[in-house]
Amino acid sequence: MDDPDAIVIGAGQNGLACACYLARAGLRVLVLEAYERLGGMTLTEELTLPGFRSDVHASGYQLANLSPVPAELDLAHHGLELVAPEHVYAHAFPDGRAIVVSRDLDLAVSDIARCSQADAAAFRSLIERYRAGRAAFIDGFFSPPQPRAEAPAEQVRLSLQSVRSWADATFESEEVRSLFGGFAAFVGSAPDDAGGAEIAWLFGAVLQAEGNHLVRGGMNGVSLALAADLAAHGGQVRTGSRVETIEVSDGTARGVRLEGGEVIAVTRLVVSATDPAQLVDRLLGEGVAGEIEAAEVRDIEWGDAVMTIHLAWTARSSTRPARRWDGRRRCICPLRD
């Protein structure tokens, strides 16, 4: 594509969604991706054995349940297919027990009640609170951030609270505290990080109320569907094309320079779907972004890393007895190698 109207840097789900809307508005859009495949945080690759596809980063279609984008871009028409299991999440414990949360609120409450009646009541209250405020929450999710001075005190406190502090104040059993604490770790919030409480409550409530949908074939199906919609409206994606800098003159983005020296001019705009540090430090530089902005980006404190383990489970013929479970979901006859 020569002289595109718009260049989008990054072919993850956010960059591709932006590109789709630009293309639908009539712009000629080129998306540039440094990696060899598109997808960003929705990559699905063979990490273990041939034929076993693992989601490298994101592994569930949770908050997308609330987004108007999939319907507006008709992603189902472009091949996006969701799987909706009845049991939305669970937490297993070393003694063989587990808490299993289903889409049926009464069943979920009943399962939690095996650990604590008080925690079961607290869980029901959290879910009902989410359902009552669902419309306002979705509206806020797709609107500019509300100034903290105008937000309710309870909302501000939750946004700053750690998951350990919130869970200790909300639940009495370690099992239910762990159930919600896992959500904070899922997005990289350590037990005492500020903001962990809000993300733990959000995920726990949204998954129960809306469902924990999975993408058939892996999360990369989201980005592939977005790329298909982009192509249907004349846009293009180039992978293996790492942007080195955004070319700026007279305060206006004129194009991009790729590693290797290739320069691609743009007629209208350049969009960065990278993180703020890459945009300010690498793509623009302090001279363009500004001294204050560059200093603020350098002060960003990155959170703790999260380690994941990918396993390939294969079926083997065996005479081993099947597992049996008692009423507390403890394995009576575990499988042994």
Side-chain angles (χ1 to χ4, degrees):
M1 182 182 292
D2 297 326
D3 296 330
D5 297 317
I7 289 176
V8 177
I9 304 171
Q13 68 274 21
N14 292 323
L16 288 169
C18 177
C20 287
Y21 282 105
L22 292 174
R24 283 169 172 253
L27 276 64
R28 299 172 66 250
V29 184
L30 174 63
V31 182
L32 300 172
E33 168 60 44
Y35 193 57
E36 61 192 30
R37 285 186 289 278
L38 60 86
M41 297 295 287
T42 57
L43 281 172
T44 304
E45 298 186 328
E46 293 183 348
L47 300 178
T48 53
L49 297 176
F52 287 79
R53 294 168 57 79
S54 300
D55 288 329
V56 181
H57 303 290
S59 60
Y61 193 86
Q62 293 100 2
L63 296 184
N65 290 325
L66 309 178
S67 173
V69 173
E72 289 179 356
L73 300 183
D74 197 11
L75 298 188
H77 173 74
H78 294 296
L80 179 64
E81 184 181 354
L82 301 180
V83 179
E86 176 59 29
H87 300 300
V88 291
Y89 56 91
H91 196 100
F93 303 102
D95 62 2
R97 294 178 300 130
I99 296 176
V100 179
V101 176
S102 69
R103 288 296 311 281
D104 185 311
L105 181 56
D106 289 336
L107 288 179
V109 169
S110 175
D111 211 69
I112 292 175
R114 294 186 297 108
C115 295
S116 164
Q117 291 288 344
D119 288 352
F123 177 82
R124 182 186 290 277
S125 177
L126 289 172
I127 302 303
E128 290 176 345
R129 172 184 159 196
Y130 166 78
R131 291 180 174 180
R134 182 180 185 274
F137 169 75
I138 294 176
D139 181 63
F141 201 66
F142 297 99
S143 302
Q146 183 182 22
R148 288 197 185 277
E150 300 176 10
E154 182 182 4
Q155 179 181 331
V156 174
R157 181 171 185 266
L158 186 65
S159 69
L160 298 174
Q161 198 172 15
S162 72
V163 67
R164 189 195 304 274
S165 170
W166 173 77
D168 285 347
T170 307
F171 304 110
E172 66 177 13
S173 68
E174 287 299 320
E175 291 88 347
V176 181
R177 291 170 180 169
S178 299
L179 175 71
F180 277 86
F183 287 120
F186 179 72
V187 295
S189 290
D192 297 305
D193 284 350
E198 187 171 45
I199 199 67
W201 173 82
L202 176 64
F203 268 97
V206 168
L207 293 185
Q208 197 289 317
E210 311 290 345
N212 188 5
H213 294 128
L214 305 172
V215 179
R216 188 176 297 280
M219 281 296 289
N220 200 222
V222 174
S223 293
L224 293 175
L226 287 167
D229 182 79
L230 177 63
H233 291 84
Q236 295 182 14
V237 179
R238 279 181 57 180
T239 58
S241 301
R242 182 178 178 84
V243 176
E244 187 174 77
T245 58
I246 297 175
E247 300 290 291
V248 178
S249 64
D250 299 326
T252 301
R254 306 294 182 181
V256 299
R257 181 183 298 274
L258 305 184
E259 286 189 347
E262 179 185 357
V263 175
I264 304 175
V266 68
T267 63
R268 298 284 294 276
L269 73 154
V270 175
V271 177
S272 172
T274 64
D275 64 76
Q278 285 200 66
L279 171 61
V280 172
D281 280 345
R282 187 172 65 82
L283 298 177
L284 293 177
E286 185 175 313
V288 174
E291 183 178 346
I292 295 177
E293 288 76 8
E296 289 178 343
V297 164
R298 285 193 290 269
D299 285 341
I300 292 176
E301 181 181 349
W302 297 98
D304 297 322
V306 174
M307 184 184 76
T308 60
I309 299 175
H310 298 276
L311 303 174
W313 291 65
T314 60
R316 295 183 297 180
S317 58
S318 173
T319 58
R320 294 178 297 182
R323 288 176 292 181
R324 292 182 291 111
W325 303 84
D326 66 9
R328 298 182 64 192
R329 299 182 189 270
R330 289 187 298 193
C331 186
I332 299 174
C333 183
L335 297 177
R336 290 185 294 273
D337 289 329

